[in-house]
Amino acid sequence: MPKRLLIIIDEMEVGGSQRNIVDMARNIDMSAFSVSLVFFRKASPYVDELRKAGVDVTHIPKRGRIDLPFFMKLCRFIRRNDFDIIHAFSFSGELWGWLANSLAGSARFVSTVHSVYEWYSPLQWVIKRWVTLGSAAVVANSQAGADYAAFRAGIRRSRIDVVQNGVMLPAPDGAGAAAAAPEDDETRLLFVGRLVEHKNLGCLLRAFEIVAGQAPATRLDIIGDGPLRKELETQSRQLGIDGNVHFHGERNDVAAFLARGSIFAMTSHREGLSNAVMEAMAAGLPVVASNVGGNPELVTHDHSGMLFPPDDHETLAAMLLELVNDADKRRRLGENARLAAQRFNDPRRMTAALERIYERCLLEPCAYVVRR
C-alpha cells in the first residue's frame, strides 16, 4: 500500500513554496505515496491544480495566532488519517503540525528551510530548534538557508538535506535570443514574484527612475500581485515613471514575458532559492539580483548575471544601465545563464530527491529521532 504523506502549509497563495508543492504532487510516485494537503489560509488556483493531480486537499481555517478550535480540528484530522510522513512548510505549519502530530499522530515529521530566516525573533528560533530536533529530516532549498538555520538553531549542519527547487527548462530552440534582440525598440526589464515587503520592489522602482531618465525607451514589466500593489503603483506615479512601468498582476503566461524580456531583476531583502530567478536564467535572460540568500548560488557575478548589495538602488541602476546599453554583454550573460540553468533540478529530480528522504525517514526505528 502507498505510504500516506501529508503536506502542511499555512497559506496556499501563489508563491515559491506553493509552486514546489504542486510540482511535487504532479511528479510523485503515486504507487509509493498517497498525498494529502492541509492549509490554513488564503486559497489560490494552486488548490484546484492539486485536486486535479489527485491530492486530497483540506482547509482547516486558522483565525488567530492562538486558535484552540483550529488546533483540535488539526489533531482530529491527523489522528483519523494515521499518516506515515508529515512534511510541513512555513513556520506556522511546522509549529502546529509538529504539536498535533506529537499529541495525535505517529508520523515521521519533516521540517523545511526555504529562506534565510534573518527576521525570526529569538522565540521563533527557540521554536524552530525545538521542531527541528524533533524532526526525522530537515530539508532546505539552498546552502545559504541550511547554513544559517544550522547556526541559529544550534544543530549540526549535516542534519539538513539540501534539495534544490525544480523548474521546467524550456526547449533550447532560440533560448536567450530575446535578451539580445527584443521584438521592438524597447529594452524590457522584468520582475516576477509576490508584491510583498521582502521582495523590496521599492528599490527596483527607485533604480528604474534612474534607468528611465537615461534610457527612455526602457520599460519595466512587473508580473505578480500582492498587498503592496497599490502602494507600488502610487510610488511609480510619484517617481514619474508610470508610463514605463506596467503592473500585469498574476499571469499564467509568464513564459511569454520571459521570451520577450531583456533583463530580469530580483531585488529581495532575503531569498531562499528563487524559482523566478531560475526560470529567468533557463529562458536565457541575464539576471541582476541582490547578493542575499541563495541568489549567489544561482548567479555568478559578471558571468551569468550581476549581483548588487541589497537595497543599493544606485548600484542596481548602474548595472541595469550597463546591460541596457550593451547588447553584446546581455547576449553573453544570457547565454551563460541558460547554460548554467541546465544543471538545475527539474520537478522530477526534485521530487525524486524528496522521495528518497521520505523513504529514509520511514526506516527510522521511531517517529522522533533527536540528533543534535
Side-chain angles (χ1 to χ4, degrees):
M1 292 289 295
K3 297 299 181 181
R4 305 200 70 180
L5 167 65
L6 174 65
I7 299 168
I8 299 181
I9 191 166
D10 189 332
E11 301 174 354
M12 270 308 294
E13 63 185 0
V14 174
S17 294
Q18 293 81 358
R19 178 74 258 168
N20 291 340
I21 289 170
V22 173
D23 287 338
M24 181 183 71
R26 285 175 167 172
N27 289 279
I28 202 163
D29 181 356
M30 291 294 188
S31 67
F33 296 97
S34 172
V35 184
S36 300
L37 179 133
V38 162
F39 73 100
F40 309 157
R41 299 183 296 145
K42 296 184 181 179
S44 75
Y46 284 160
V47 170
D48 297 328
E49 290 188 48
L50 285 168
R51 287 184 171 131
K52 288 178 182 177
V55 175
D56 181 16
V57 179
T58 302
H59 178 206
I60 302 180
K62 184 174 181 291
R63 296 183 172 85
R65 182 172 294 183
I66 305 296
D67 184 342
L68 185 58
F70 150 80
F71 182 63
M72 297 307 296
K73 289 178 184 177
L74 182 61
C75 287
R76 287 195 294 270
F77 177 82
I78 288 176
R79 180 184 296 115
R80 183 170 64 249
N81 287 280
D82 191 25
F83 294 101
D84 299 289
I85 296 279
I86 294 177
H87 188 171
F89 293 74
S90 78
F91 181 85
S92 177
E94 288 183 339
L95 171 59
W96 299 111
W98 193 90
L99 284 172
N101 187 54
S102 300
L103 293 173
S106 59
R108 272 58 170 173
F109 196 84
V110 179
S111 53
T112 303
V113 178
H114 267 191
S115 188
V116 178
Y117 300 129
E118 296 166 332
W119 71 97
Y120 273 14
S121 68
L123 176 59
Q124 284 178 300
W125 277 115
V126 169
I127 294 171
K128 183 71 173 177
R129 170 180 168 81
W130 171 45
V131 170
T132 298
L133 290 176
S135 298
V138 185
V139 180
N141 67 353
S142 70
Q143 298 290 342
D147 293 345
Y148 190 77
F151 170 71
R152 291 301 305 270
I155 63 171
R156 287 189 288 114
R157 171 62 180 79
S158 58
R159 287 236 36 227
I160 304 177
D161 293 283
V162 175
V163 177
Q164 189 185 72
N165 297 347
V167 296
M168 291 301 296
L169 300 180
D173 299 341
E183 293 177 352
D184 49 39
D185 292 334
E186 293 178 318
T187 304
R188 298 169 183 256
L189 309 185
L190 181 65
F191 167 86
V192 178
R194 290 280 293 161
L195 308 189
V196 291
E197 185 275 334
H198 78 266
K199 293 296 184 181
N200 198 17
L201 269 296
C203 176
L204 179 56
L205 293 179
R206 294 193 302 273
F208 188 70
E209 179 188 18
I210 298 172
V211 172
Q214 299 186 37
T218 307
R219 66 179 284 171
L220 171 61
D221 290 313
I222 295 178
I223 313 301
D225 214 333
L228 297 186
R229 178 167 177 172
K230 288 186 178 179
E231 179 181 322
L232 293 167
E233 289 174 336
T234 298
Q235 182 182 357
S236 175
R237 288 193 297 271
Q238 291 173 342
L239 292 172
I241 55 176
D242 50 306
N244 295 62
V245 179
H246 304 271
F247 290 84
H248 297 274
E250 296 291 351
R251 299 291 296 250
N252 58 11
D253 58 347
V254 173
F257 281 91
L258 291 171
R260 295 193 300 268
S262 308
I263 304 162
F264 189 89
M266 179 59 72
T267 52
S268 302
H269 288 302
R270 58 182 185 266
E271 198 67 59
L273 206 70
S274 169
N275 288 344
V277 168
M278 297 170 74
E279 289 167 357
M281 293 177 66
L285 293 184
V287 173
V288 181
S290 50
N291 192 8
V292 299
N295 288 343
E297 295 174 34
L298 300 174
V299 178
T300 301
H301 182 68
D302 226 23
H303 177 75
S304 55
M306 305 179 86
L307 297 168
F308 70 96
D311 206 36
D312 184 347
H313 73 278
E314 293 181 345
T315 300
L316 170 60
M319 290 180 177
L320 292 173
L321 279 168
E322 181 178 353
L323 293 178
V324 166
N325 294 323
D326 190 341
D328 288 338
K329 185 166 187 175
R330 287 204 309 273
R331 182 184 298 107
R332 174 171 59 82
L333 296 189
E335 178 61 17
N336 289 341
R338 185 186 66 79
L339 293 173
Q342 293 177 0
R343 299 192 296 271
F344 296 163
N345 275 347
D346 64 21
R348 292 181 296 275
R349 289 205 301 270
M350 176 192 73
T351 304
L354 291 172
E355 287 177 342
R356 289 192 292 271
I357 292 170
Y358 299 154
E359 289 164 355
R360 186 188 74 208
C361 292
L362 291 168
L363 297 176
E364 297 284 5
C366 59
Y368 308 110
V369 182
V370 177
R371 293 175 294 183
R372 296 178 185 273

